Amino acid sequence: MTKVKVFTNILKANDALARKNKKLFNSNGVYTINLMSSPGSGKTSLLERTVDALKDELKIAVLEGDLQTANDAKRIEKYNIPVTQINTDGACHLDANMIDSALDFYNFKELDLFVIENVGNLVCPAGFDLGEDDRVVMVSTPEGDDKPVKYPIMFRKAAVLLINKIDLLPYTDFNLSKAKEDSLKIKPDLKIFEISCKTGEGLDGWFDWLREQIKKKLDS
Amino acid sequence: MTKVKVFTNILKANDALARKNKKLFNSNGVYTINLMSSPGSGKTSLLERTVDALKDELKIAVLEGDLQTANDAKRIEKYNIPVTQINTDGACHLDANMIDSALDFYNFKELDLFVIENVGNLVCPAGFDLGEDDRVVMVSTPEGDDKPVKYPIMFRKAAVLLINKIDLLPYTDFNLSKAKEDSLKIKPDLKIFEISCKTGEGLDGWFDWLREQIKKKLDS
């Protein structure tokens, strides 16, 4: 089974580089997140809201991953924080090597929070450790409440689930209780926030959670 | 460059099987579609609407692809047409081999239209020919109008773009003109339908287009 072996080797190489990245983040006390979702769930909008709310109290930097365009990095640049765009040129996920190759751009000694926004894809990014402290997965209400049962691997490895676009709940058939119950069956200690990056609803809980993780990391 | 070679070999093997599938579809005069989108754009809802509207005039069968669950196949089963569910068990796309292994379930001599619903993923499925006549890509308005520029490969190979959930246009920032212009820059002869699988708006145009393709296939 040559194919399987090749893939195992790719993952092994990835894990080695992820450990290297993690070491860098840890030695500088930088709390690092790998943010993942389907295309268009609102990852960049979440980052805009988060950076805008926390940039005066925390040193934040962002790494954007996309197949094409620097559109997302441009949206973050407006907030005058360090941001880089990786274009995967067709590849469906970020891997630890891509992260490694972009790290020289940042001064980790000065950072508190480093957010990696992965390629919009609810499948492939789940397989690749980037060296992050925590994985955050986002779903949005118009996508439907069946995403946890249909894409369980993504939810199994996440620390946080953000249910975005709750402002659209009245116009969709999304069942909040079902989505939460199904997610907790897959990952019983999953932390869940119901948010709207459009109206700002529910974001304070997410900001507090982030502050808490950063404090824990600094104290560790 | 071993990795590239392995991938090239995988694609070559896929293309050979795709040609085999295509031969089967062609010899039976069955018009075949590969339906692709992000998770939760509304692929299965489209199939429910399409089967419900056309099942008395056309013989339709569906093949569902998902990582886990038979939820989508169950939704289609209600319409009493042939349907199978492929579970990829973590794999991010359908390939021609998976299709080949499911084909015995169908009696192609009796069919007019065969629809393959791919795994919800706007990246990986674009790389794998399944033997289809046409690729149909769907985006939904809450995903944002930037999907064509950010995921161009998917749009470059599509015959049709369905812009779904236009009932949610008043509650989103989706710019219809921008999405259409950007898509047509990537694929100038892309056929575009604005639809709502919830309200039924715009679906008649899609049904007519399907009838036309099936007629062309039978006449060829």
Side-chain angles (χ1 to χ4, degrees), chain B residues 117-134:
Chain B
E117 181 183 335
N118 221 309
V119 173
N121 183 336
L122 212 49
V123 188
C124 316
F128 291 81
D129 186 6
L130 306 179
E132 70 272 4
D133 288 289
D134 283 312

Side-chain angles (χ1 to χ4, degrees), chain B residues 6 45 48 58 65-66 111 121 134 168 171 177 188 204 207 212:
Chain B
V6 168
S45 298
E48 290 179 296
L58 298 170
D66 261 308
L111 292 183
N121 183 336
D134 283 312
L168 294 180
Y171 317 110
S177 313
D204 284 339
F207 298 152
E212 209 178 296

Side-chain angles (χ1 to χ4, degrees), chain B residues 77-134:
Chain B
E77 229 168 24
K78 288 181 221 152
Y79 298 91
N80 293 315
I81 63 156
V83 59
T84 335
Q85 177 82 50
I86 292 182
N87 278 148
T88 64
D89 198 27
C92 51
H93 61 271
L94 295 177
D95 63 32
N97 184 44
M98 296 179 197
I99 305 303
D100 175 55
S101 67
L103 294 183
D104 281 349
F105 178 79
Y106 303 93
N107 186 354
F108 284 98
K109 273 183 201 157
E110 288 182 359
L111 292 183
D112 301 306
L113 171 64
F114 184 50
V115 185
I116 303 167
E117 181 183 335
N118 221 309
V119 173
N121 183 336
L122 212 49
V123 188
C124 316
F128 291 81
D129 186 6
L130 306 179
E132 70 272 4
D133 288 289
D134 283 312

